[in-house]
Amino acid sequence: MPPKFSTVRYLLLYGLALGALLTLMTWSQYRLMVIDHATELYVLLIAVMFAGVGIWVGLRWSAPRVLERTVLVPLAPSTDALSPNEQVLDQLSISPRELDVLVQLARGLSNEEIAERLFVSTNTVKTHLANIYSKLDVKRRTQAVEKARALGLIQ
Amino acid sequence: MPPKFSTVRYLLLYGLALGALLTLMTWSQYRLMVIDHATELYVLLIAVMFAGVGIWVGLRWSAPRVLERTVLVPLAPSTDALSPNEQVLDQLSISPRELDVLVQLARGLSNEEIAERLFVSTNTVKTHLANIYSKLDVKRRTQAVEKARALGLIQ
DNA sequence: CCTGAAATCACCCGTTCGGATGAAGGACAG
DNA sequence: CTGTCCTTCATCCGAACGGGTGATTTCAGG
C-alpha cells in the first residue's frame, strides 16, 4: 500500500494494464470472430478501450493543472498586466507546480492523495510542500492554507 | 516541553507565578520605602500587577470561548430563530467547545497551540477533534477546516 | 555551451496527528 | 435521583507529516 517506489509501481501498473488490454483484445477478437463477423462491435470495443486509455493519458499529462487553473483564472479577471494573485505569486516566487499542490492542499487532501491527483510521488509532494512552507513562512499545512487564502492565492 | 501532565504543569506554573509576584511585591515595597514614601506609585504597581493577574484569570476561565463567539455571531445576524450556522451546528450536534476547537483549527494551529489557547490539555483537544471529525465525516484536520468553511460554521 | 531554476524522486529521523478506548466529574432534564 | 450529554484527561499504537539532504533530468536564457 505505501508507495515507496512509486515510479516502479506505476511502471508495473502500466505493464499490467497494457497486458490486460492486449489479452482482452485478442479474446474479444476470437469470440466475436467465432460467433459472427461483428467487426463493427469489435471496432467499437477497441475504440472505447483506447478512448479510455487516451482520456487517462490526457488526464495524466495535462488535466491536474489545467483543470485547476480554469477554476482559478475566471475568479480574478486580468485587469492590467497581472492579476493580484499572480503578483503575489511572483513576489513569493511560487512556481506553478507549487500552486497546484497548494490548491489540492486547501481541499484537505493528504500527501498521498495529492500525489495521486498530480501523478507524482509522495516524495515530490513533500518537496513542493517544504518549498511552499518556506516561501509562505509557515510551519504546517493548515497554516499554509490559511495564509494562501489570506493572500488570495487560492479561492 | 511535551506536557504529559498539563494539570500538574499548570499548577507548578501557578505556584511559580504567585511566588514571583510575592517576591516582586516585597522587593518593590522595600525599594520604594527606602527611596521615598511614594505610596501612590506602590499602589499603582500593585494595582497593575493584580489587574494583570485578574485579566489572565479571566481569560483563563471565560475568554477563550467568548472572544471567538463575538467574532462569529455578528457575521450572521439572527433573522428568525436560529442563524444558518447555528442550524447547521444543531443538525450536526456540534457542541460549543468543539466549535471553539474548530475555530482555532482553521487558523492553522497545532494541537498543542490550541490546547494552550483554550487552556486545556492536548488530550482534550484530541478528543474534541476526534468528535469533530466524526461529526463532519472527515478524516483529517485540513478536511475539517474545508468542510466547516463550506458549511458556514467558521468565517 | 553552460548556468540556474524547476520538477522529480529518494532516504532518514523525529514530531505530530489520528484511532480506539477508558474514565471521571459537572450540568441538566425527566 | 438517575440517565444523558458535555467536558476533561489519559494511554497506546500506528499513520501521517515535516526537516534535512542529495541526486537527476529538463529546459530556458545568457
Side-chain angles (χ1 to χ4, degrees), chain A residues 1-122:
Chain A
M1 179 69 78
K4 264 210 168 182
F5 299 93
S6 62
T7 304
V8 177
R9 196 186 61 165
Y10 276 121
L11 282 179
L12 282 177
L13 284 179
Y14 280 139
L16 286 177
L18 284 181
L21 272 178
L22 285 179
T23 306
L24 196 61
M25 282 168 58
T26 52
W27 173 81
S28 62
Q29 184 179 26
Y30 176 77
R31 290 284 297 160
L32 292 177
M33 284 304 201
V34 165
I35 294 176
D36 58 354
H37 293 273
T39 51
E40 290 87 352
L41 271 181
Y42 178 67
V43 168
L44 185 63
L45 181 61
I46 298 297
V48 168
M49 286 194 304
F50 274 84
V53 173
I55 289 174
W56 185 76
V57 171
L59 287 176
R60 165 73 177 81
W61 288 116
S62 64
R65 44 175 46 172
V66 173
L67 281 182
E68 301 305 335
R69 297 293 153 74
T70 52
V71 173
L72 277 182
V73 171
L75 291 177
S78 60
T79 53
D80 296 358
L82 290 176
S83 60
N85 51 7
E86 287 186 37
Q87 287 181 5
V88 180
L89 284 177
D90 278 358
Q91 287 175 8
L92 297 178
S93 69
I94 288 182
S95 74
R97 201 55 167 165
E98 286 163 359
L99 182 60
D100 291 335
V101 175
L102 205 45
V103 169
Q104 304 299 326
L105 194 68
R107 296 186 170 178
L109 301 187
S110 67
N111 286 355
E112 187 161 357
E113 288 169 337
I114 296 175
E116 288 174 3
R117 300 215 180 180
L118 298 184
F119 296 100
V120 295
S121 74
T122 56

Side-chain angles (χ1 to χ4, degrees), chain B residues 37-93:
Chain B
H37 294 273
T39 53
E40 288 87 354
L41 271 181
Y42 178 67
V43 169
L44 185 64
L45 182 61
I46 298 298
V48 168
M49 287 194 304
F50 273 84
V53 173
I55 290 174
W56 185 75
V57 171
L59 287 176
R60 167 71 179 83
W61 289 115
S62 66
R65 41 177 47 173
V66 173
L67 282 181
E68 303 304 337
R69 297 294 153 73
T70 52
V71 174
L72 278 181
V73 172
L75 291 176
S78 61
T79 53
D80 295 359
L82 290 176
S83 61
N85 50 7
E86 287 186 39
Q87 287 181 6
V88 180
L89 284 178
D90 277 357
Q91 287 175 7
L92 297 178
S93 68

